Amino acid sequence: MSAVASAVAAVPVRSPLPEGLAGSAAVIVGGSSGIGLAAATLLRRLGGRVVLVGRDPERLAAAVARVRDVNPGADAEVLGVAADGADEAALAEAFDLAGSVDHVLVTSGGLTGAGPVTDVSAGDLRAAFEERVLGAFTAARLAAARLSAGGTITLSSGTYVIRPVPGMTAPLAAIGGVETFTRALAVELAPRRLRVNAVRYGVVDTPLMRGASGLATDAAMAAAGAGTLLGRYGTAEEAAASALFLMANPYVTGQVITVDGGQSLV
Ligand SMILES: NC(=O)c1ccc[n+]([C@@H]2O[C@H](COP(=O)([O-])OP(=O)(O)OC[C@H]3O[C@@H](n4cnc5c(N)ncnc54)[C@H](OP(=O)(O)O)[C@@H]3O)[C@@H](O)[C@H]2O)c1
């Protein structure tokens, strides 16, 4: 056994099924909407303790109330901290409030820096990297300092990284960086028995997606998704369940798993 391996405390064996997350504590950066909110809901159903982070305080308060209502009798608290995920001091408050943390999920990020390459300024590009790469780094730096063996960090990517569309050079350069960061960080933190993964999402029905696509109604979403391989877009819950899989399975690290209904195959 190497010196590093022998120095690491043994990680308690727990179930690789989502039930293994029962009673754990998670910080979800981006937990006030879409996939992050769905992950919070699933964790709450399992009796987990969640701290949601988002910038808009009203949206955050509504999300906290919604997640609490999922399991009103649960002992575990649901908390919200209004913060920008790239602001280390503000995000540190969320971690401090959370106390002990087992899992960190980052689902923050929009389409900052989108537009034709000739219109993208250096400032736009920096903003895209700040939102995505600095956001992931900030959460990871705080998490790495606090998580105990067995803890996880789960980041977000999208299938446009491998099947780009025009007008997305800056955001996709940054999101691609998050995938590389995922693998590099997994290797670095493995000796401490911390795991790092990411989900590469396809089109998922969330406020972000509806806003970006202009598909405001359920009927419009259904019609637009009908031509995809599985005949529909993904739900936020399906997307979130993949993040919970990565948190729960103790033998998965450094992976970017694609959850896109097979759409990147065609
Ligand atoms: N939905 C899709 O089709 C799709 C496809 C591929 C990839 N993804 C990726 O999956 C992730 C989740 O997407 P989603 O569809 O669930 O988006 P969403 O519905 O817009 O939710 C994003 C959440 O992140 C928060 N957020 C955004 N920027 C933040 C920041 N700088 N600091 C802290 N919180 C921030 C938002 O709240 P505030 O705005 O109030 O801060 C919101 O709670 C994103 O990274 C997205 O790019 C989504």
Side-chain angles (χ1 to χ4, degrees):
M1 194 184 291
S2 75
V4 170
S6 61
V8 173
V11 181
V13 176
R14 61 174 165 74
S15 167
L17 298 175
E19 285 73 13
L21 298 171
S24 61
V27 171
I28 305 179
V29 186
S32 60
S33 174
I35 298 166
L37 175 56
T41 303
L42 292 175
L43 285 166
R44 174 76 172 167
R45 258 190 233 151
L46 292 167
R49 190 158 55 81
V50 285
V51 177
L52 312 184
V53 180
R55 293 164 301 178
D56 178 340
E58 277 180 30
R59 196 184 198 191
L60 185 66
V64 167
R66 203 165 134 186
V67 175
R68 260 191 206 130
D69 282 352
V70 168
N71 196 348
D75 291 337
E77 186 51 294
V78 181
L79 300 170
V81 176
D84 187 320
D87 178 340
E88 186 153 349
L91 194 59
E93 275 181 38
F95 277 85
D96 292 344
L97 195 68
S100 77
V101 178
D102 305 295
H103 305 285
V104 176
L105 173 64
V106 181
T107 57
S108 53
L111 298 173
T112 298
V117 72
T118 44
D119 293 353
V120 174
S121 68
D124 295 331
L125 186 64
R126 269 190 213 103
F129 272 78
E130 187 160 316
E131 177 175 80
R132 295 290 177 169
V133 182
L134 185 61
F137 252 89
T138 303
R141 279 160 51 80
L142 292 167
R146 289 166 169 80
L147 294 178
S148 306
T152 72
I153 299 167
T154 307
L155 304 173
S156 295
S157 176
T159 50
Y160 285 167
V161 162
I162 53 165
R163 297 203 61 179
V165 293
M168 290 286 285
T169 53
L172 293 181
I175 298 169
V178 171
E179 292 199 1
T180 304
F181 176 58
T182 299
R183 289 186 278 268
L185 190 65
V187 169
E188 183 169 315
L189 297 183
R192 291 183 43 209
R193 302 300 181 252
L194 302 179
R195 297 183 296 105
V196 187
N197 294 288
V199 185
R200 189 190 281 155
Y201 301 108
V203 179
V204 180
D205 184 359
T206 66
L208 173 72
M209 190 268 166
R210 288 198 179 204
S213 64
L215 300 168
T217 65
D218 291 350
M221 285 292 299
T228 63
L229 200 60
L230 291 181
R232 64 175 176 83
Y233 292 140
T235 66
E237 192 174 55
E238 289 165 336
S242 59
L244 263 70
F245 162 78
L246 293 171
M247 288 178 199
N249 194 312
Y251 207 54
V252 181
T253 198
Q255 302 306 304
V256 179
I257 62 166
T258 299
V259 178
D260 70 344
Q263 195 59 22
S264 53
L265 299 174
V266 295

